[in-house]
């Protein structure tokens, strides 16, 4: 894809409650063999909870008032017209999702010539946000064996992390690098267009509080 191709801004604004999880055991070079659930993919309740409006335990004490309602998180999504690159911004985090085809050859973890320029652009944004904790997660589609997908996604995440580390050259940075294989698809694996979206590397980091 031509890096200067016009971007199609698909801006989605949604108010949602963010349930934050602490990501532990950050590594600086290698993928974790026992990955946790990626942020934003935590399961929700399978069915609404029945509430008795007349339950006295749910009534406010006399004189009490509810706190003012507020939006806890706003998400903005911008995607290339081709879908090769996607950026998501929330109040708390920035996440880039790069399709594997723009980074690697087929079934390979060797970065392409175009890949470094794309990763360098992400490194610039990391500097802009003054982020010190960076998550690099690899994903594949469901073709081939699950074990092969796990290994390939780890190798690809490690390859992207290594370039970020070189570009940023900051000893204070910590990386969480993991490979999830075919887990957590963002599209259907029933079609090639869906599988292409699922073959990706995600780089996410906290937004600056400034």
């Amino acid at each position: 894809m031509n890096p200067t191709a016009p971007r199609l801004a698909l801006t989605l604004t949604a108010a949602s409650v963010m349930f934050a999880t602490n990501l532990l055991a950050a590594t600086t070079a290698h993928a974790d063999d026992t990955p946790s659930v990626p942020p934003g993919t935590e399961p929700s309740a399978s069915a609404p909870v029945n509430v008795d409006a007349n339950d006295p335990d749910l009534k406010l004490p006399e004189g009490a008032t509810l706190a003012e309602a507020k939006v806890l998180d706003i998400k903005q999504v911008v995607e290339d017209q081709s879908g090769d690159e996607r950026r998501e911004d929330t109040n708390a985090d920035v996440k880039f999702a790069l399709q594997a085809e723009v980074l690697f050859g087929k079934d390979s973890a060797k970065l392409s010539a175009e890949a470094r320029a794309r990763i360098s652009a992400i490194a610039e944004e990391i500097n802009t946000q003054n982020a010190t904790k960076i998550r690099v997660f690899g994903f594949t589609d469901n073709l081939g064996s699950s074990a092969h997908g796990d290994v390939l996604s780890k190798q690809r995440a490690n390859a992207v992390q290594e370039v970020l580390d070189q570009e940023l050259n900051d000893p204070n940075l910590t990386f969480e690098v993991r490979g999830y294989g075919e887990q957590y698809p963002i599209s259907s694996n029933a079609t090639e267009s869906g599988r292409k979206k699922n073959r990706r590397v995600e780089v996410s980091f906290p937004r600056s509080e400034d």
Side-chain angles (χ1 to χ4, degrees):
M1 187 199 74
N2 186 338
T4 61
R7 288 178 175 271
L8 175 62
L10 306 176
T11 305
L12 310 175
T13 305
S16 59
V17 177
M18 171 172 280
F19 294 92
T21 56
N22 292 325
L23 295 171
L24 303 178
T27 61
T28 56
H30 299 289
D32 196 322
D33 287 333
T34 56
S36 61
V37 176
T41 60
E42 299 86 351
S44 58
S46 58
V49 177
N50 292 325
V51 177
D52 181 0
N54 297 317
D55 189 332
D57 291 334
L58 298 179
K59 295 183 180 298
L60 291 173
E62 186 175 351
T65 59
L66 291 173
E68 182 180 355
K70 60 181 179 179
V71 174
L72 296 183
D73 195 31
I74 299 294
K75 178 184 286 188
Q76 183 178 36
V77 179
V78 178
E79 186 174 276
D80 275 356
Q81 190 172 28
S82 65
D84 288 347
E85 182 173 337
R86 178 184 178 95
R87 172 174 174 157
E88 295 182 8
D89 287 83
T90 70
N91 293 343
D93 296 285
V94 178
K95 179 170 72 176
F96 289 89
L98 299 173
Q99 289 188 1
E101 278 79 353
V102 302
L103 298 177
F104 309 98
K106 184 177 180 180
D107 201 31
S108 170
K110 183 178 180 180
L111 289 165
S112 66
E114 181 186 357
R116 182 172 287 273
R118 288 181 176 270
I119 298 171
S120 294
I122 295 176
E124 290 179 7
E125 183 64 20
I126 292 171
N127 275 327
T128 299
Q129 299 296 338
N130 297 315
T132 58
K133 295 182 180 180
I134 305 163
R135 298 181 293 265
V136 186
F137 296 158
F139 305 84
T140 62
D141 58 28
N142 67 345
L143 297 182
S145 71
S146 176
H148 177 70
D150 290 345
V151 171
L152 182 61
S153 63
K154 289 179 185 179
Q155 292 173 338
R156 288 176 166 177
N158 280 329
V160 172
Q161 183 272 334
E162 288 172 4
V163 175
L164 284 173
D165 198 21
Q166 293 168 9
E167 291 285 325
L168 295 166
N169 193 27
D170 184 349
N172 295 317
L173 291 177
T174 57
F175 290 88
E176 182 179 11
V177 188
R178 293 179 174 175
Y180 291 95
E182 64 188 54
Q183 298 183 76
Y184 310 110
I186 58 175
S187 188
S188 171
N189 276 309
T191 65
E192 174 53 27
S193 60
R195 291 191 293 270
K196 184 178 179 181
K197 288 181 177 292
N198 293 332
R199 299 189 295 265
R200 68 197 190 279
V201 174
E202 296 181 352
V203 180
S204 58
F205 44 91
R207 292 183 63 85
S208 171
E209 297 181 358
D210 297 338

